[in-house]
Amino acid sequence: KGSEEQDERNKGSEEQDGKEEKKQIPEEEDLIRSTIKSFQSEIASLQEACHQHEQELKDIQTHLSEQSIRSNTLYISEQNLLADLNNLELHSKVFQSTNKTLSHQYQSTQDEVDA
């Protein structure tokens, strides 16, 4: 008999727990829905941030490509300028040599005229 009374009490307790669970289910469902909406909102924000970062990356890659082209163009221009400077130095040395030779010839001619 004691065992039957215990079973009855357990059964009553289980029924009461079941009622409490049913009362909590709508609240839990609301909490779950709210949590899901929050996660969905966060995911949408992260996706938007990801798209913005992808666009920024594309812009940076474009600028990097443009910078590389400019760098190559400047390098070629610098090499051409150095070649021009070298040619100018060579012409200057030729001019100095020619000037020196002509100055000596003039001086020799002047010395003959004076003599």
Side-chain angles (χ1 to χ4, degrees):
K1 186 174 183 181
S3 173
E4 288 177 19
E5 287 177 10
Q6 184 65 29
D7 287 342
E8 285 296 320
R9 277 187 254 152
N10 287 343
K11 187 176 180 184
S13 176
E14 288 174 4
E15 288 177 8
Q16 187 176 2
D17 288 345
K19 289 178 184 175
E20 287 179 13
E21 285 180 20
K22 288 181 183 176
K23 288 180 185 176
Q24 291 177 351
I25 288 177
E27 293 171 359
E28 289 176 357
E29 287 178 359
D30 288 344
L31 180 62
I32 290 170
R33 282 190 197 106
S34 174
T35 303
I36 289 171
K37 284 181 183 178
S38 177
F39 281 133
Q40 288 172 335
S41 176
E42 184 67 23
I43 288 170
S45 295
L46 290 172
Q47 284 175 330
E48 180 60 30
C50 186
H51 290 302
Q52 288 175 356
H53 289 307
E54 285 175 347
Q55 185 59 45
E56 289 174 9
L57 182 60
K58 287 178 186 176
D59 292 344
I60 289 170
Q61 287 172 333
T62 299
H63 292 305
L64 184 60
S65 175
E66 291 170 356
Q67 184 180 11
S68 177
I69 291 169
R70 285 188 191 111
S71 177
N72 288 337
T73 301
L74 287 173
Y75 176 78
I76 291 169
S77 295
E78 182 182 25
Q79 293 304 311
N80 289 337
L81 284 172
L82 289 173
D84 289 346
L85 180 62
N86 189 38
N87 286 335
L88 205 62
E89 287 177 6
L90 291 174
H91 284 104
S92 173
K93 288 180 182 179
V94 169
F95 177 78
Q96 286 176 349
S97 176
T98 303
N99 185 33
K100 192 174 186 179
T101 301
L102 289 174
S103 291
H104 283 351
Q105 287 177 356
Y106 172 76
Q107 189 62 41
S108 294
T109 305
Q110 188 67 32
D111 289 344
E112 286 179 19
V113 170
D114 288 342

